[in-house]
Each structure stands twice: as structure tokens, then as C-alpha cells.
């Protein structure tokens, strides 16, 4: 889920600012699931600023992003669903990072856009400043409307 603004400084160029949050889910609709064994979870919140160029119905963008990422792992042992108690505490790690933000979009209709975002993180800034590659790839369905003519 994300929200953002595009500022068009010409007919074919814009600056986009987006703030979003992602989670890994098994299905795009909420359904009850029972896990057995080890399960990984991931979530990320981010802010990205991109310069975008428009070519008829397509647009391409590039820029920078800041992300806060968390990953943890839970062990759902054989007895978890009977006792609702975990065998061990979760393994947890988190970081804050900087990297490149890119997007490719296709506009269909007057207000709807389908796109792909690729955000590689290149530098962890917290807990330690270091070079570290991670990436986030997401599919976007955007609903756009003009705030001002």
C-alpha cells in the first residue's frame, strides 16, 4: 500500500514522491492459514523520490529511496496449534537503508496505471553503516487523479 504525489514540471516529465509499506502475504486476500515448521516474515516501509519521463502510455522513473526493513522467523512446532505456544523465541533483524528507486508504468484508461517498482538497497545506515545489497520488487496498481488543472 502506498500513497504519493506527482508534480508535472512539463508535459512529459514529473517528480514523484511516494511513501509506502509492504508485507509478504501468501494470498492477496485475507484467508486463515495454519503454518507448520519454520516460517519467514518480511515487512518494509519506504519513501522514494523519482524523476519520471512519459512516452505516450508508458512511463519510466529513477531516483532514490529510504527504507526501514524488518525480517523475522517463527518456528511453528508440531504442538503449536494444540498449545498455541512456540518452541523457541523468534529470530528478528531490522535495518534502515538507502538505495536506488526505479519504476516502469503503463497507463490504461484515464485514471488507472499498472506498474512495476524495483528498489535495490545499497547501504545500510542503521544498525551499522555498511554496503549491503537487498531489494524490493513490487507490482503496482495506481489510481491517479488531478488535484489542480
Amino acid at each position: 500500500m502506498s500513497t504519493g504525489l506527482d508534480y508535472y514540471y512539463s508535459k512529459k516529465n514529473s517528480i514523484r514522491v511516494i511513501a509506502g509499506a509492504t508485507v509478504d502475504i501468501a494470498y492477496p486476500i485475507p484467508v486463515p492459514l495454519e503454518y507448520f515448521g519454520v516460517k519467514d516474515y518480511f515487512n518494509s516501509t519506504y519513501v522514494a523520490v523519482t524523476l519520471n519521463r512519459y512516452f505516450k502510455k508508458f512511463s519510466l522513473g529513477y531516483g532514490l529511496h529510504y527504507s526501514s526493513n524488518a525480517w523475522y522467523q517463527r518456528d511453528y512446532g508440531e504442538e503449536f496449534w494444540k498449545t498455541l505456544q512456540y518452541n523457541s523465541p523468534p529470530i528478528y533483524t531490522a535495518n534502515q537503508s538507502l538505495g536506488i528507486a526505479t519504476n516502469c508504468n503503463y497507463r490504461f484508461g484515464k485514471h488507472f496505471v499498472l506498474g512495476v517498482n524495483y528498489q535495490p538497497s545499497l547501504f545500510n545506515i542503521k544498525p551499522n553503516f555498511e554496503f549491503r545489497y537487498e531489494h524490493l520488487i513490487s507490482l503496482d496498481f495506481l489510481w491517479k487523479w488531478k488535484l489542480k488543472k
Side-chain angles (χ1 to χ4, degrees):
M1 181 72 76
S2 64
T3 186
L5 292 171
D6 286 350
Y7 171 73
Y8 289 83
Y9 58 92
S10 75
K11 281 192 150 210
K12 295 195 177 253
N13 298 292
S14 74
I15 297 172
R16 178 178 294 163
V17 177
I18 291 181
T22 62
V23 296
D24 61 340
I25 55 174
Y27 299 101
I29 57 172
V31 294
L33 296 174
E34 290 185 1
Y35 294 110
F36 298 98
V38 176
K39 171 76 173 117
D40 293 327
Y41 297 93
F42 173 78
N43 63 60
S44 178
T45 55
Y46 61 90
V47 175
V49 177
T50 58
L51 296 174
N52 300 284
R53 175 83 174 160
Y54 298 86
F55 310 94
K56 295 186 181 184
K57 292 185 178 242
F58 286 94
S59 69
L60 297 172
Y62 64 92
L64 299 173
H65 78 86
Y66 162 81
S67 296
S68 177
N69 304 313
W71 170 85
Y72 68 99
Q73 187 179 73
R74 274 280 191 198
D75 185 1
Y76 297 93
E78 293 177 17
E79 298 296 315
F80 174 79
W81 295 106
K82 294 176 187 171
T83 64
L84 295 180
Q85 293 183 1
Y86 297 103
N87 289 346
S88 59
I91 299 169
Y92 178 82
T93 185
N95 66 36
Q96 295 175 9
S97 59
L98 296 172
I100 299 167
T102 62
N103 62 61
C104 179
N105 297 310
Y106 175 76
R107 178 183 289 262
F108 58 96
K110 188 175 180 181
H111 298 285
F112 300 106
V113 179
L114 188 62
V116 175
N117 291 330
Y118 173 59
Q119 294 182 178
S121 295
L122 302 175
F123 296 99
N124 274 359
I125 55 176
K126 192 175 181 182
N128 304 342
F129 187 83
E130 63 185 348
F131 174 80
R132 183 172 176 183
Y133 175 81
E134 297 177 329
H135 67 261
L136 173 67
I137 299 172
S138 61
L139 297 175
D140 278 350
F141 178 73
L142 295 97
W143 179 34
K144 296 177 80 168
W145 66 92
K146 289 185 180 182
L147 295 177
K148 182 180 170 183
K149 284 190 174 187

